[in-house]
Amino acid sequence: MASSTSFFRRNRRRIAPWLFLAPGITMFLLYVIYPVFQSINISFYEWDGLGPKTWVGLQNYADLFDDPSFYTSLKNNLIWLVLYLLAIPAGLAVALFLNQTVPGIRLYKSLFFFPFVISQVVVGLIFSWFYAPGFGLLPKIIKVLTGSEIAVLADERYATLAVIAAGLWPQTAYCMILYLTGLNNINPEQVEAARMDNAKGWSMLWHIILPQLRPATFIALIVTVIGALRSFDLISIMTVGGPYGSTRVLSYFMYEQALSEYGTAMGYGAAIAVVLLAIMLVFITLFIVRMLSQERNG
Amino acid sequence: MSLLKIIAGLGFVLTASSALAGQIVLNSDQSDPAPKKAMEELIADFQKANPDITVKWNNFDHEGYKSAIRNFLTADPPDVAAWYAGNRMAPFVKAGLFADVSDVWDKNGLNDTLKSTASSMTIDGKKWGVPYTYYQWGIYYNKDVYKKAGVSEPKTWAEFVANCAKFKASGIDCVTTGTKALWPAAGMFDYIDLRTNGYEFHMDLTAGKVKWTSPKVKAAFAEWAKIVPYTTANAAAIDWQDAAALLAQGKAANYIMGNFAVDAFRKGGMTNDNLGFMVFPEITAGLARAEEAPTDTFHIPAGAKNKEDAKKFLAFLASPDVQTKMNATLGQLPVNTKAKVGDDPFIQAGFKELSSAYALAQFFDRDAPADMAKAGMEAFQEFMVKPERIDEILERLQKVADKVYK
């Protein structure tokens, strides 16, 4: 008894952090790391979720790379990734615009932040109505301008873009709030000094403000890239992957194949998940490497 | 002490969940008002007829049930579960999750009274469930719109197509549908294929015995292509209820739909006077007329704890009086030939249509395996928007079929 107590006492400083971390680490291992390896394992089997599993090796991956739906999903993921980044400059613009002291500015700020607070499902519904042929606002506007209605969500050319536009609404608000906090921490002395050196407008923004906002930009970039890759709810609400699967992204494709009403291909779905994980890992690694190098330098 | 209490508590929970003698657990998805009422009546009547048995009913949301059943059949099987006939039950039968109920059929003479659906309940020569209701599909039309456009009810497919041009001239969609949820397009394909190539070919196609790239399939799509230009342009963007509203508002003339849509038409202000129903017209002359009649069923999971009483429940469900009462509430057709059919004109029309049919198909997503059904319905939706891509679409479908039916 005595020796064990003293062992704990001697190493208390080393043990204590691990004890505090233990619940989190356990959960993370059990619910994140273990399922990752489980998915990788399932992706080598043909399995309908009910019957016996059959080992098929890399067959699921071979099928996947031969499946046009996979390339549609991959292409849409890329479009999401690129266009979703627009949320960063848009968020910055709104933040700069709102970063002033006029009466009632708190109200405006909260109004701009509002879309981030409401559920993605609600955002999706609002935009579905906005786009709905027959009574939506957008088809009416298009009709006034061109004389004919377009149901954007049913047109393979515009559907993905229309869903991304809906996604940008809350994402811009998110980036805005990141930049607003960043702007609060701007060093006023530097701004003052720059003003003395006759810096104004764009040069002030580019050389003085933006460098100080770099941490905010970095976080905004991370959340936006991850947000683009895990886009799912808006697609599920607004288009259900359609028209004829043209708005699918990898995460939705996986859900359809493995878990939806008509999907029973667990192995195939797992293979899609593994590919998605590999793509995400590229970005996550990039971010972590950068973060570590910054910490070392800073 | 406290440990003992926990163990005692656990023991209590365990005994409570393993069904008490004389109790059956029933899982189903009657979340809409009419089916829910029909179920409540059914359970009350069953308990009255069998005072020693109580039914514990878990009613699921309609969409959620389809994924939930996969979990509860393996993890915590009830004694009775609702599902569908045809190929839709095949995965559960093959995985050994449904129990063989052939003895219920034999003992109660169901092979005669439920004859019309016997084949769709049979896999490997055994019966796997008991059907209690079905409903017809066909063409629902707006009589006022027909009058307005000066068009009479078509007798043949050629007349139907010719009418479409007249509707177009009056600014009316000849055919309406809403394919956002995909399945309404499958109803159109089923009928056009059944009428172009016949029941046997359609069943072979959904069973993977003939190729999607075969000329006969192309012929069916060619017939379909004749009405595509006259179909509601934004069909892919709207739900089936939205299309029902278009018909009720007089913006569309015809709707290839199931009888459950009558409710939606009536809510949209239509009455028996201006809502019409016709059997899908003949395309290839002389083909035996097959119809679409999706059947709803109850099954006993293989892991059921109280199969004895569950079988009593299925036998009760199959009896003519019970099916008469249930389907009066549901507004659908009883499967039992000795049951009485409701007075509603559309139910009567459906009874006439189905009882004189050569054969009954279940529906594309119940006749074809799930992954094929999904790919097929997406293809139908695409075809309705881009009919010129037909060759590409059929080749893709054949590729899916090669994988699904291997």
Side-chain angles (χ1 to χ4, degrees), chain B residues 38-55:
Chain B
M39 270 314 281
E40 281 163 359
E41 289 171 0
L42 169 73
I43 291 170
D45 291 346
F46 176 71
Q47 296 189 119
K48 214 183 281 167
N50 299 277
D52 52 328
I53 305 173
T54 51
V55 178

Side-chain angles (χ1 to χ4, degrees), chain A residues 46 48-50 63 66 68 133 149 151 154 156 237-238 240 243-245 248 256 259 261-262 264 268, chain B residues 66 70 88 92 97 180 234 236-237 365 370-371 374 377-378 381-382 385-386 389 396 399 403 406:
Chain A
E46 190 180 310
D48 64 358
L50 294 171
D63 287 345
D66 192 34
E149 278 194 359
E156 57 174 15
I237 291 293
M238 296 176 70
V240 219
Y244 38 89
R248 271 195 285 246
E256 266 187 351
L259 303 164
E261 185 186 343
Y262 298 106
T264 55
Y268 198 57
Chain B
K66 290 162 185 165
R70 299 171 64 79
R88 204 68 196 275
F92 297 137
L97 291 171
K180 191 175 174 188
N234 291 327
D365 72 350
D371 354 18
K374 169 83 182 171
M377 295 193 301
E378 241 169 53
Q381 191 193 39
E382 180 168 2
V385 183
K386 305 270 175 193
R389 288 190 195 158
R396 200 172 63 227
K399 205 161 142 187
K403 205 178 139 195
K406 72 175 173 221

Side-chain angles (χ1 to χ4, degrees), chain B residues 275-333:
Chain B
L275 177 62
F277 172 78
M278 62 176 134
V279 173
F280 198 98
E282 186 173 66
I283 296 180
T284 304
L287 268 184
R289 180 171 59 83
E291 300 290 346
E292 193 108 282
T295 310
D296 291 352
T297 54
F298 275 106
H299 306 261
I300 301 181
K305 294 173 196 91
N306 190 355
K307 282 193 188 136
E308 222 30 53
D309 291 339
K311 282 181 179 172
K312 276 186 204 160
F313 182 81
L314 288 197
F316 183 78
L317 180 75
S319 61
D321 297 343
V322 172
Q323 294 213 347
T324 304
K325 187 172 175 190
M326 249 193 122
N327 283 288
T329 312
L330 284 171
Q332 296 185 3
L333 290 163

Side-chain angles (χ1 to χ4, degrees), chain A residues 37 41 47 70 76 94 107 125 136 194 220 236 238 242 245 267 280 284:
Chain A
F37 285 98
N41 182 37
W47 185 39
F70 171 68
N76 284 336
V94 178
L107 177 70
L125 280 176
S236 168
M238 296 176 70
M280 281 207 178
I284 294 171

